[in-house]
Each structure stands twice: as C-alpha cells, then as structure tokens.
Amino acid sequence: VATQLPTPDKSHYTFNSRDVGKVVQGLMQFEPVILTTPKELADGLMHEMLRVFHDRLTETKDRTWWLAEASQQVSASFSLPADEEWPSLIYGDFGPSQEGPVYQRIELTEELWDILGEKMSAYGLQYNRTLDLVMFEDAIAHLVRVCRILRQPRGSA
C-alpha cells in the first residue's frame, strides 16, 4: 500500500473512510434475495469495490496491483477461489426483471440490447428526438457505471 501513495500526477489516489462507506452504500442497493450465497456476496462486494476504488486508478500497473490485492483479500475472506470474471461483472437495475427495477447482475445478452433499444426509443418519444447510439460492451459498461452513480443518494463520480 505504501507504493500507492498520492503523487503530483496521481493526486486523486487519495482514499478515506468515505470510500468504504460508498462500498457499503453500493451493497445496500441489492435486494437480500439477490445475494444469498457467499459467491454472490463476494461477486457483489468485488463489483462495488471495483466501482469505488479500481475505477479511479489510471495506470495499468496500479489497476493490476489493486485487482490482485483485492482478489486475494476477498478470496481469503469468503474462502473462495479468485474469480477471473470479477473485473467484467456488470450490475445494474435495468436488466430483464419482472418485478421492476432490481439492482442485480446483468448478463450481456441479446435481451439486454433489446432493453437498451427500448429505453432509447422511449427517450425519443418523450423528448421528440431520435437517439441512435451504437451500443457495444464497453459502452454498456460505462453506461452501467453512470447509472450506478446517479441512482445513489448524492451520487457523484
């Protein structure tokens, strides 16, 4: 950790207890029925930590270091092997759900692309404008990050 201190070119590498609170706040978005197993809880925790801490890191070596450290800690805490898919987990509240918006894991499927197309069409009808965005995996990942921030109280990046 001592090697990851803020420097003039990484002044945003300052973390405090408020950031830990953001992880907890993110976990509180989940319905209890979503995180029922240790694996699901570890996935949710890792996702929230990725959004709060990992997304602020700018250099590849720092991101690699953080991911290895966090994976080791979460694996040890939950007695689970490190999961290779942790960095690519996507959680949001606009996936396919019959109960309305539920903050849950979102799989990149054709159904998700259809949902996003419907949301863009609804925007076009509401604001009398066409919204022709090309959706691809990275764009969806960034969209989900923005939606996560905006759905939280006093959410900001």
Side-chain angles (χ1 to χ4, degrees), residues 37-47 50 66-76 78-91 105 107:
T37 67
K39 168 82 169 105
E40 291 168 343
L41 182 57
D43 288 350
L45 175 63
M46 195 65 178
H47 169 76
L50 282 161
W66 185 91
L67 189 58
E69 291 294 318
S71 296
Q72 178 185 3
Q73 293 298 319
V74 170
S75 296
F78 288 92
S79 300
L80 294 168
D83 195 338
E84 294 292 323
E85 70 176 10
W86 276 338
S88 61
L89 290 175
I90 298 177
Y91 285 83
R105 186 171 179 175
E107 300 291 336

Side-chain angles (χ1 to χ4, degrees), residues 13-85:
Y13 279 27
T14 54
F15 302 99
N16 57 39
S17 59
R18 192 176 318 162
D19 297 314
V20 176
K22 288 180 185 177
V23 172
V24 173
Q25 184 180 25
L27 286 172
M28 297 302 289
Q29 295 181 92
F30 290 99
E31 296 291 327
V33 296
I34 300 294
L35 305 178
T36 57
T37 67
K39 168 82 169 105
E40 291 168 343
L41 182 57
D43 288 350
L45 175 63
M46 195 65 178
H47 169 76
E48 294 304 321
M49 291 192 320
L50 282 161
R51 298 296 70 86
V52 173
F53 298 109
H54 187 262
D55 287 353
R56 286 170 53 185
L57 304 176
T58 57
E59 294 186 7
T60 303
K61 69 178 180 107
D62 295 339
R63 296 177 131 218
T64 304
W65 172 85
W66 185 91
L67 189 58
E69 291 294 318
S71 296
Q72 178 185 3
Q73 293 298 319
V74 170
S75 296
S77 297
F78 288 92
S79 300
L80 294 168
D83 195 338
E84 294 292 323
E85 70 176 10

